[in-house]
Every structure is written in C-alpha cells, then in structure tokens.
Amino acid sequence: MSLLAQSVRQALRHTAQRATLSGALRALSLGPTLQQQNKPAPATVDVSAIAKEHQRECQTVCERINQQVAKTEQGRLFAVVHLCGKQFKITPGDIILVEGYWPPTIGDEISLDKVLLAGARDFTLIGRPILEPGLVTVKATIIEKTLTHTKTHFKKKRRKQYMRINFQRSPNTMIRINSIEMTRPVDGGGEPDAQPSKRLF
C-alpha cells in the first residue's frame, strides 16, 4: 500500500501528466458502484431465530442431564478441583497428596468449593473458571499429615576445600475424597441452599 502511495505522489508532482493520471486513478480505484456490481447481494440472516434455536438445544441438553441426575443414572462422577495452587482430577474414594504446609489437622472434614470441572459418563460441566457455588459439592477428609522422605542437597567446589551437605524434609497432607454430588439442577432452576456450607478451601 505504501508503494502505491509513493508512486501516486511522484506522479502528481509531474504537472504535465496530471490529467491523464487522474483518469487512470479513477479507472484503478474500486468505487462503491464497482464493488456492488462484482458482489452478489448478501442474504439476510435472522439472528434471533438462530439464538432461539441455540437456546432450545441448550435447554434440551440441561433437561437430559437433570433427568439422569434425578434417577442417579449418571454413573460415577469425577471433578477437577483447584487446591493449594494445583489442579487435581478426583473421583470418590481417591487419595490425593498436597505438598507444603496446609493448616487443617488430621480428621478434619472439609468441603472443596473451587470446582473447575465436573462430569460423568455422558456429560461434562465446565466452569468459567469455576462452577457456580452450590452446584457440585466435594467432601473430603484429612487422613494423614507427614514429612516427605529426606532429600539430600550436596554441594562441592573442587580444589577449593568447599563441601556442604544439607538435608530437607517438607510437610505434606494426604486427603481422602469422600463424595462428589450434584446438589441442584444444572440450569439453575432450583434455589441454592438456605445455609451455604462454610467456605474453607
């Protein structure tokens, strides 16, 4: 485009050729009349009809999911939860290991509320970034708080009489997932719990 503009500027500097150049520019330029002649008329698209059809499809999918959940035909549920800066894919009965210091003690029953994704055999609910609070409840129990195995950090600089040996054990927590349940219909038709669970983690 810049090359075309430079050539046009150079051509306009020559006054003798100005008349012939203006006619050439008119012939090269794409005016609205030429564009309309080359393009067929666009077909009118009914956006509201497409939106209604999309809404109808979403409603039927939500109804099928709610029927499966009501009859407990969905099978074993799974979820992806955000916990201590990491994501874990879990199912009921799983044991997960959280590395680093974490305040709950052994025997505490907790509710994992940051559910990024939940699903079953036939459907998957994806949060943006997390699912609505109260839609899926994940209950877990702290079963063990221990230290990791001893890690050795050995440093040596040859010919400098420098050698260091350090040992490190970091805390970790084992958690058993008790249950994953869908507490209300997917489309939000049901009311949330009157007393929401205390948000711990």
Side-chain angles (χ1 to χ4, degrees):
M1 190 68 180
S2 61
L3 183 64
L4 180 65
Q6 287 176 358
S7 62
V8 168
R9 272 191 242 125
Q10 288 176 0
L12 288 176
R13 287 184 188 145
H14 301 291
T15 56
Q17 299 174 353
R18 191 171 288 181
T20 58
L21 184 63
S22 63
L25 282 176
R26 267 192 250 123
L28 289 175
S29 66
L30 294 175
T33 55
L34 291 174
Q35 289 177 352
Q36 289 176 0
Q37 289 174 2
N38 294 338
K39 281 189 175 181
T44 57
V45 178
D46 191 6
V47 178
S48 61
I50 294 172
K52 288 178 184 176
E53 183 180 341
H54 181 67
Q55 185 70 22
R56 212 175 313 118
E57 289 176 6
C58 291
Q59 192 66 28
T60 56
V61 169
C62 289
E63 287 172 5
R64 273 189 265 153
I65 293 171
N66 291 334
Q67 287 173 1
Q68 279 190 2
V69 172
K71 296 177 184 177
T72 62
E73 296 175 348
Q74 76 273 9
R76 189 174 185 182
L77 288 173
F78 68 92
V80 174
V81 294
H82 185 270
L83 189 61
C84 294
K86 294 184 179 179
Q87 297 178 11
F88 297 91
K89 182 183 177 186
I90 55 172
T91 57
D94 283 357
I95 293 176
I96 59 176
L97 184 70
V98 176
E99 297 177 354
Y101 173 73
W102 206 41
T105 58
I106 298 173
D108 286 355
E109 292 186 0
I110 60 173
S111 174
L112 307 177
D113 289 337
K114 290 184 181 178
V115 182
L116 305 172
L117 180 144
R121 183 181 59 235
D122 296 331
F123 64 88
T124 303
L125 306 174
I126 301 172
R128 297 183 296 182
I130 62 173
L131 292 173
E132 299 173 14
L135 181 62
V136 178
T137 59
V138 179
K139 302 288 184 184
T141 306
I142 308 297
I143 57 173
E144 187 178 356
K145 289 180 78 77
T146 58
L147 296 173
T148 60
H149 67 281
T150 305
K151 299 174 185 174
T152 305
H153 296 282
F154 177 74
K155 294 189 282 186
K156 178 180 171 69
K157 294 181 182 177
R158 61 183 181 171
R159 299 188 300 275
K160 303 297 179 187
Q161 287 78 42
Y162 176 86
M163 186 172 68
R164 299 288 184 271
I165 300 176
N166 293 321
F167 302 101
Q168 179 190 357
R169 298 183 75 191
S170 56
N172 57 18
T173 306
M174 291 180 73
I175 304 169
R176 181 189 297 118
I177 305 300
N178 296 335
S179 64
I180 300 173
E181 297 174 354
M182 295 187 63
T183 54
R184 60 185 174 88
V186 173
D187 57 354
E191 292 294 324
D193 297 337
Q195 294 179 345
S197 63
K198 185 177 178 183
R199 244 183 125 92
L200 292 176
F201 304 101

